[in-house]
Amino acid sequence: MAAPDPNAPAVDIAAAMVTAPSTFADWLLILPVAVPLLTGAILVMVRHHTHLHRPLAGAGLAILLGLNLLLLQRVVTEGPVTMMMGGWLPPFGIAFTADVLGATFATTAAFAALVATATAGPSINTAERRYGFYPFLMLLMTGVTGAFLTGDIFNLYVWFEVLLISSFGLLVLGSEKRQIDGTVKYGILNLVATTLFLASVGLLYGTLGTLNMADIAAKARAAGPEAPLVTIAALLTFAFAMKAAAFPLNFWLPASYHTPTPTVSALFAGLLTKVGVYALLKVGVLLLGNQTGAFSSVLVVVAGSTMVIGALGALAGSDLRRILGWLVISGIGSMLIGVAVGTPTALTGSIFYAVQSMLVMTALYLAAGVIEARCGTGDLRRLGGLYAVSPLFAGVVLVLFFAVAGLPPFSGFWPKAILVEATLAADLPWLAAAVLVAGFLQTLAVGRVWLYAFWRGGPEGTPDGTLQLAGIGRIEDPADRIALVGPVVVLAGAVVLMGLVPTVVGGLAEDSARGLIDPAGFTARVLGATAP
């Protein structure tokens, strides 16, 4: 090999590459993805030592939560931050980008997952641990966190694939007939959405010549009318609406979310649909907001229909976890209002609702798991007398029901109030009415569940007012009781605190909304963050 010519002119790479050394603050963008991925790999290596899985996964999730909190603090004080793989300057190369919206969602997801995993001790049996529950869980958190922190739209697709693969594994653990049935329904619809997403990304790259989100936001607003961006925006919205379980693409969720173990159901309800909502907010408002406005009237109808139909489905159900699935769908409609209306107030309400829904729905599915552990069923017709068994637990569940219905002073009230204000200001009184009607129907649905499961004396067919404890078991092991009920209490406490002190989450939601509405500030911060 020839020696380098000492007389050759020096090549200046500063115009294309980052020349300054990376700091810990830069790596803070990568670590929330690297930590769960590394933890999952370690869990695979010790797969025969299942007694180590729970503490290792708990440690990994605790570290993940701490890193996300540090990242959230940084983006709140400094604004969006970017790190480019390979040292390339944006928009070249693969970008990790964190803003207030992504960091808030990632932090909330890590907290919900950490608390929910505490229930995995008594609810996940040895066989399910041996077949990979904890590695799948960490892979799921890798995909969820990566989706919230990516700055590249193709890599958003990649992280969707990661969480989709891991969710398949979590759904089918146990290999029961209903789990396989739910996995098939869940998988087919999500694969269709993912394929449509990938095709839309190809069209977008062919039109704008970039995959960097900040660069897309800048070029989309400068593109001429000949660019098919409205079509691309419609295709992306359709794909993300399917993943978020918006009407009329919602039928897969209540057919699948009740089939796995309650811990898995809780993680899915709290996290997965919110990734679809996040993608809708990011792409439909920040990147292609002008194009999405062309069919905003359709989105308004979809949002209203999703809220009301989800609430009606919950009111008509008889299986506890299926009812909760319909409540998840109804909440998605509230989150879609921000994309449909597009005003800062509407976006604030939608983001606030999404954050509190992560905690509320996770807690409700965990509570359903406790009820199933006590009674051996989630069928409302066979439930009853649980208030006499545990008045404290009954009160905690009632708090969560009030929150999901949007009753004051709990966490669901504030975002719904903001959304009503935003829809009235946008001259959409019927959508404001849909928010209120959906809230009323949700109140009836959760009230019916509480009366059937907790307040009446016993299951259907027993004498009224007579406590029939036959078939209602107590969780005898104190450690199991704490592991099952403790996370529900912790999440309910967070819900109460969020309702009593809404300014913290409300402030983060307001900052996130401003970041979505102002793409110029986002693109300037990201594209100029590492410029010489």
Side-chain angles (χ1 to χ4, degrees):
M1 181 181 295
D5 184 0
N7 298 319
V11 178
D12 183 13
I13 63 171
M17 308 271 304
V18 178
T19 55
S22 298
T23 64
F24 172 75
D26 296 323
W27 285 101
L28 198 56
L29 270 169
I30 310 301
L31 290 176
V33 177
V35 165
L37 185 62
L38 179 62
T39 305
I42 293 172
L43 289 169
V44 171
M45 289 188 284
V46 297
R47 60 188 177 276
H48 298 300
H49 304 280
T50 56
H51 64 284
L52 297 176
H53 287 192
R54 188 180 178 191
L56 285 173
L61 290 171
I63 295 170
L64 174 64
L65 176 59
L67 292 170
N68 283 332
L69 284 169
L70 291 174
L71 182 60
L72 178 60
Q73 181 186 26
R74 183 183 178 193
V75 297
V76 167
T77 56
E78 298 181 17
V81 292
T82 293
M83 184 176 185
M84 303 296 298
M85 300 298 97
W88 294 98
L89 285 173
F92 308 107
I94 298 172
F96 277 80
T97 302
D99 56 8
V100 178
L101 176 64
T104 299
F105 275 36
T107 302
T108 309
F111 174 69
L114 176 62
V115 175
T117 305
T119 67
S123 64
I124 304 298
N125 60 41
T126 302
E128 289 168 338
R129 289 195 293 271
R130 283 173 50 202
Y131 286 117
F133 169 79
Y134 287 102
F136 278 133
L137 169 64
M138 301 313 297
L139 187 63
L140 179 76
M141 292 308 300
T142 302
V144 169
T145 307
F148 289 147
L149 300 183
T150 186
D152 182 288
I153 195 166
F154 178 77
N155 275 274
L156 179 61
Y157 159 78
V158 171
W159 296 122
F160 266 118
E161 286 292 285
V162 171
L163 66 89
L164 191 62
I165 292 169
S166 56
S167 61
F168 287 163
L170 290 171
L171 265 174
V172 82
L173 276 180
S175 302
E176 295 180 6
K177 181 179 178 181
R178 69 171 192 166
Q179 289 178 308
I180 296 172
D181 178 69
T183 303
V184 170
K185 295 172 183 175
Y186 172 85
I188 290 174
L189 268 295
N190 276 276
L191 287 173
V192 170
T194 302
T195 303
L196 186 59
F197 178 21
L198 182 59
S200 303
V201 169
L203 289 172
L204 186 63
Y205 181 72
T207 302
L208 300 180
T210 183
L211 295 171
N212 184 280
M213 289 185 177
D215 204 28
I216 290 171
K219 290 184 175 179
R221 281 159 177 79
E226 70 281 356
L229 292 179
V230 173
T231 301
I232 295 172
L235 291 173
L236 288 171
T237 300
F238 186 86
F240 295 143
M242 188 180 295
K243 287 187 173 291
F247 177 81
L249 308 168
N250 57 282
F251 51 86
W252 60 267
L253 191 150
S256 59
Y257 272 24
H258 69 290
T259 59
T261 62
T263 300
V264 175
S265 292
L267 291 168
F268 283 15
L271 308 184
L272 294 196
T273 52
K274 309 311 180 294
V275 179
V277 170
Y278 171 81
L280 277 169
L281 290 167
K282 200 81 169 184
V283 174
V285 180
L286 179 66
L287 306 190
L288 301 173
N290 292 348
Q291 289 73 28
T292 306
F295 50 89
S296 61
S297 58
V298 176
L299 292 176
V300 166
V301 174
V302 169
S305 301
T306 304
M307 282 188 293
V308 175
I309 290 173
L312 287 172
L315 191 58
S318 60
D319 180 83
L320 181 54
R321 279 201 272 169
R322 282 182 180 268
I323 291 171
L324 295 180
W326 285 108
L327 290 175
V328 171
I329 292 169
S330 186
I332 295 299
S334 300
M335 300 171 212
L336 289 178
I337 291 177
V339 183
V341 177
T343 63
T345 305
L347 287 167
T348 298
S350 293
I351 295 166
F352 194 158
Y353 193 94
V355 171
Q356 70 90 33
S357 179
M358 286 187 186
L359 303 183
V360 172
M361 296 315 304
T362 300
L364 281 174
Y365 269 92
L366 294 179
V370 176
I371 293 171
E372 291 177 7
R374 287 188 181 277
C375 305
T377 182
D379 189 341
L380 291 185
R381 294 165 295 187
R382 297 167 59 191
L383 298 178
L386 286 174
Y387 180 84
V389 174
S390 178
L392 176 61
F393 178 67
V396 170
V397 173
L398 188 61
V399 166
L400 295 170
F401 281 163
F402 284 162
V404 78
L407 298 178
F410 303 104
S411 60
F413 169 74
W414 301 107
K416 287 194 175 184
I418 295 171
L419 290 173
V420 169
E421 177 189 355
T423 50
L424 290 175
D427 197 24
L428 293 168
W430 73 267
L431 187 56
V435 175
L436 299 175
V437 168
F440 176 70
L441 294 174
Q442 289 166 350
T443 304
L444 293 179
V446 297
R448 172 173 167 264
V449 171
W450 200 82
L451 289 174
Y452 273 58
F454 292 93
W455 191 246
R456 67 178 177 176
E460 189 175 289
T462 59
D464 184 40
T466 303
L467 178 64
Q468 299 288 333
L469 290 178
I472 300 180
R474 295 178 182 272
I475 305 169
E476 299 296 342
D477 189 339
D480 286 351
R481 191 181 306 122
I482 293 172
L484 288 172
V485 179
V488 182
V489 176
V490 170
L491 290 171
V495 167
V496 172
L497 184 63
M498 198 183 303
L500 296 176
V501 189
T503 51
V504 176
V505 177
L508 292 173
E510 192 173 357
D511 289 346
S512 301
R514 280 199 297 266
L516 292 173
I517 290 292
D518 179 25
F522 175 79
T523 55
R525 176 72 183 174
V526 172
L527 297 179
T530 54

